[in-house]
């Protein structure tokens, strides 16, 4: 009998962990740093860790591209955090400050914020611009085949 193994990047030390698919939602700790693989807060991405999280994880990664001066971004932030709790163990929620991490924002042609991009297996599979509430984020993920 083979176990379906998924790769999940640690939000703390950025090492790739092998996790049985049926154990993803139960949490667990990183094999390297022993920190939780699913912390309560949304992951903050940088120029340095962006590729590891979007490209090396088998779990879908939803990235919110935002900036501190953006009013709609600030309004959406608590909704994005709540949606992250709803989707814990199914989707990694992450934020990327486009002022501080300009390389990924440029690479993906971010022209308006907030913009969310859903990554699966290192590829962009969907994009949505404009602020959304918690329910809308969940509905959007479901419309993209995420369950």
């Amino acid at each position: 009998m083979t176990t379906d193994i998924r790769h999940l990047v640690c939000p703390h030390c950025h090492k790739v962990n092998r996790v049985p698919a049926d154990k993803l939602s139960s949490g667990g700790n990183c094999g390297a740093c022993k920190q939780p693989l699913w912390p309560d807060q949304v992951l903050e991405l940088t120029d340095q860790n962006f590729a590891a999280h979007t490209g090396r994880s088998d779990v879908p990664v939803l990235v919110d591209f935002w900036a501190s001066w953006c009013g709609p971004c600030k309004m959406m932030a608590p909704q994005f955090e709540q949606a992250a709790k709803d989707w814990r163990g199914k989707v990694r929620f992450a934020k990327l400050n486009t002022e501080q991490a300009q390389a990924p924002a440029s690479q993906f042609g971010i022209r308006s914020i907030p913009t969310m991009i859903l990554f699966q297996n290192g590829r962009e599979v969907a994009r949505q611009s404009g602020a959304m509430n918690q329910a809308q984020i969940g509905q959007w993920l479901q419309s993209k085949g995420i369950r």
Side-chain angles (χ1 to χ4, degrees), residues 1-2 8 12 23 33 62 66 82 92 103 116 123 125:
M1 181 167 121
T2 61
L8 182 63
H12 306 282
K23 303 282 187 205
C33 73
L62 180 61
W66 70 284
Q82 279 304 119
R92 169 80 74 210
M116 293 186 307
R123 294 187 333 265
V125 295

Side-chain angles (χ1 to χ4, degrees), residues 6-80:
R6 301 292 165 90
H7 294 99
L8 182 63
V9 180
C10 175
H12 306 282
C13 71
H14 315 294
K15 302 277 188 206
V16 178
N17 286 259
R18 294 169 38 92
V19 180
D22 61 348
K23 303 282 187 205
L24 274 174
S25 63
S26 64
N29 293 328
C30 175
C33 73
K34 311 302 184 216
Q35 295 292 314
L37 288 172
W38 293 99
D40 290 334
Q41 67 275 10
V42 170
L43 173 65
E44 291 285 339
L45 294 176
T46 65
D47 285 332
Q48 293 75 29
N49 68 17
F50 181 86
H53 285 277
T54 58
R56 298 180 67 200
S57 178
D58 293 332
V59 174
V61 179
L62 180 61
V63 180
D64 173 22
F65 290 82
W66 70 284
S68 61
W69 51 263
C70 170
C73 297
K74 289 180 184 180
M75 288 182 357
M76 188 173 105
Q79 299 295 313
F80 192 78

